[in-house]
Amino acid sequence: MSTNAELHQRRIAAVPRGVANSLAVYAERASNAELWDVEGKRYVDFASGIAVLNTGHRHPSVVEAIKAQLGKLMHTCFQVTPYASYIELCERLNRLAPGPTAKKSMLFSTGAEAVENAMKIARYHTKRSGVIAFSGSFHGRTLAAMTLTGKVQPYKAGFGPMLPSVFHAPFPNEYHGISVADSLDAIEQLFKVDIDPAQVAAIIIEPVQGEGGFNVAPQEFLRALRALCDRHGILLIIDEIQSGFARTGRMFAVEYSGIEPDLITVAKSIAGGVPLSAVIGKAEIMDAPPPGGLGGTYAGSPLGCAAALAVLDVMKNEKLTERALQLGERLQARLRTLQKRFGAIGAIRGIGSMVAIELVRNGKAEQPDADLTRALVQAAARHGLIILSCGTYGNVIRFLAPLTITEQLLDEGLDKLEAALAEVTAAASQAAA
Ligand SMILES: Cc1ncc(COP(=O)(O)O)c(C=O)c1O
């Protein structure tokens, strides 16, 4: 048997440091919201492999669907000899997407690939090149997605030059003093200073920022963006890669705003752990690029399609949107209790089961405590809980437990969080004394 320490030594020697690990915990097996490492230690998993496992690790229906598909077909390439499951999945995504306009979908493998293709489709359709994204956003690590990402360290620094014609406006953030009006003014300013709105192909936004710290875009902001896009013939791309598939209590977080996006990017929890992503959009826009302009060898693989179809069934049969709301309420209630005990919890925010806490010093938003956050992730793991940090200042803990988790296991995870918080806050005040 290998130990975590042995594997970590081999990892350091064989794998570049650019791909960072938040924990030196080497996973061996997992089931629903529990994971065991190579040493047999058990963890409650509040990370879900970064928002991929809304249906839990190895949901039996998803595993069955993949096994059945393995017995039939693993790969043909949709561009060579297409298959029915790809079409069925696109039909279902088209029906799920909000708004009355007819939709078409196209499948890819990763989130970044979906973002790249949404940008290509938007440019081709509008015959314009500009794209506006937001501060604190994360859209992926490939060239266009990295350019759109609104955080320099560690995603952009040293990897330039970025793509031209991409601009950033501040994302509204009440806790950090950026109002909806500030963000809208900044976009108008971009139109005055940097780019003619008639040259802007798209505005891309996460309805709830993921890596940026689970910042929820105010619904009136999304509605204002919709109106602004309509005024200038700009497409509105909603990136639901982290917020999608029941996480927020709706299939897509943008549903809360009542607007119809032009394009939606999805990935992660769409296929319960098999790499799959998609762009869903208004049919006329999706049909703009010519045959051959879009595609990919593995895009929409048969295994991914089989898994995604099973995931969509599970979400419906197990009512995971409602479950996300119930679990989210339970989680937020417990976090509010913890906030009374631990002054370091400066803010609790989220929507449905997409919930985060922001850790600060002296109760002040402008004093983010990234050190405490880092220590908490490690301490939680020692207590048998996997959590993830995020946020522009590295001081946010996000909660992404599977929506199939039992209440008992959720509570157990939160007990571990409380124990870890007690440990790290005591150590921090000792160090300060
Ligand atoms: C909102 C959002 N967009 C895009 C991506 C990129 O997805 P991937 O890592 O699958 O390329 C992510 C990944 O975290 C994301 O959260």
Side-chain angles (χ1 to χ4, degrees), residues 79 106 108 116-118 120-121 285-296:
Q79 287 136 260
M106 170 150 190
F108 300 97
E116 298 268 335
N117 280 280
K120 280 172 64 178
I121 295 166
I285 298 170
M286 293 293 289
D287 267 332
L294 304 173

Side-chain angles (χ1 to χ4, degrees), residues 110-112 115 138-140 206 211 239 241-242 268:
T110 66
V115 168
F138 183 81
H139 297 290
E206 296 158 86
E211 304 299 306
D239 184 343
I241 287 168
Q242 192 151 161
K268 292 193 184 273

